[in-house]
Amino acid sequence: MRTSPVWSPEQYGTFADERGRPFADLVRRIRADDVRSVVDLGCGPGGLTATLRDSWPEATIVGVDSSPQMIEAAQEFADDRLSFELGDVHDWSAPEGSLDVIVTNATLQWIPDQLDLLPGFVKALRPGGWLAIQIPGNGNAPSHAILRELAAKDPYAEFARDRSLRPDVPGPGDYVDVLSAEGCVVDAWETTYFHLLQGDNAVLEWVKGTGARPVLQSLPDGLRQEFEAEYGARLAEAYPQRDYGTLLPFRRIFAVAQKR
């Protein structure tokens, strides 16, 4: 299993409603009937996976995540139809033709060769099955650009430079090309959400649960606090807090494919 940051379900759960909206929008585009078997790859703390029980009340659902902390938190949602297991999405596989729906939400952006994984996902689907993908596409946003810039500076660079780098993510057209070649009918799109966040330095609190976490964890005590203070100050300038909250534009990329 590949090295992964130690994720915090509590920090990730900050702004849960805003984080959950793309998942709901993704699942609404899956028009599957008679669903009996569902896998959520990169299930996180399990709350969103649990909502799939309402979408497909006859299905057995499995959530997979590489973080022991996330899987432990997800167990509170487990029941006779919903289970969670530790596993790396990069190495995941299932018997050919065994699944009705595969969902992977805000996970594949961490994997450089993610497009190479898609044929295996499609093979795991039965004919007529569905694959649904959502990834962040905001790598050029100030939140990420500032993070990379600071991580490349001394005294942080020795520890953090490599942890700030992210793979280039595919666009909607890339998903269409790859999944169409695997015999799927593909619906792909992108959208920018304008999240209205409450609280002091809200964007810092947002990224501490996701994109900035590997960088912060790479830094030793003391230097971590120094980095976070400098990063937070620059984020507060880039995303000013207004009387009504802090506006965070966030681009996301979606693909929903049905196997012929």
Side-chain angles (χ1 to χ4, degrees):
M1 187 175 294
R2 294 171 302 132
T3 301
S4 175
V6 178
W7 297 104
S8 167
E10 294 77 20
Q11 186 69 44
Y12 186 81
T14 307
F15 310 114
D17 288 345
E18 289 82 3
R19 292 194 197 278
R21 183 178 168 192
F23 183 90
D25 290 345
L26 177 69
V27 171
R28 274 195 290 268
R29 299 292 279 268
I30 305 171
R31 294 173 171 83
D33 298 319
D34 191 27
V35 174
R36 302 290 175 171
S37 55
V38 179
V39 170
D40 181 7
L41 298 176
C43 64
L48 296 177
T49 312
T51 66
L52 299 178
R53 292 178 295 198
D54 297 328
S55 299
W56 301 297
E58 302 301 319
T60 298
I61 303 166
V62 178
V64 179
D65 203 280
S66 63
S67 166
Q69 294 76 23
M70 290 295 194
I71 291 297
E72 181 180 359
Q75 296 304 328
E76 70 169 290
F77 300 103
D79 60 20
D80 58 343
R81 292 200 300 115
L82 174 60
S83 62
F84 297 92
E85 60 186 46
L86 189 66
D88 192 322
V89 171
H90 192 272
D91 301 322
W92 175 87
S93 64
E96 186 170 344
S98 61
L99 299 173
D100 295 305
V101 175
I102 299 173
V103 177
T104 178
N105 179 71
T107 296
L108 296 184
Q109 73 276 6
W110 298 102
I111 301 176
D113 56 347
Q114 63 157 293
L115 293 178
D116 294 338
L117 303 182
L118 302 187
F121 295 169
V122 174
K123 285 184 174 64
L125 295 172
R126 66 167 176 81
W130 294 75
L131 170 63
I133 298 165
Q134 185 274 125
I135 60 169
N138 64 331
N140 292 323
S143 57
H144 288 60
I146 294 169
L147 183 70
R148 289 191 297 268
E149 181 182 337
L150 283 180
K153 287 175 48 178
D154 291 330
Y156 313 123
E158 176 185 354
F159 307 96
R161 178 190 286 113
D162 292 343
R163 302 307 296 271
S164 71
L165 303 177
R166 295 288 177 271
D168 292 334
V169 298
D174 298 308
Y175 285 117
V176 172
D177 285 343
V178 173
L179 292 170
S180 295
E182 295 301 316
C184 294
V185 178
V186 188
D187 177 18
W189 71 99
E190 64 179 68
T191 193
T192 299
Y193 294 87
F194 286 80
H195 297 301
L196 187 58
L197 308 181
Q198 303 301 321
D200 293 334
N201 213 338
V203 175
L204 175 63
E205 294 304 311
W206 176 289
V207 297
K208 280 168 62 177
T210 51
R213 193 164 185 85
V215 171
L216 292 172
Q217 287 193 339
S218 72
L219 295 165
D221 291 342
L223 202 57
R224 182 185 306 117
Q225 287 77 13
E226 182 181 334
F227 182 97
E228 185 173 320
E230 186 174 358
Y231 184 42
R234 293 189 59 179
L235 286 178
E237 182 178 353
Y239 299 92
Q241 184 175 353
R242 311 295 188 188
D243 291 341
Y244 52 79
T246 301
L247 198 62
L248 173 63
F250 202 114
R251 175 178 175 254
R252 293 186 183 269
I253 299 163
F254 300 79
V256 174
Q258 185 179 27
K259 185 175 180 177
R260 293 183 189 273

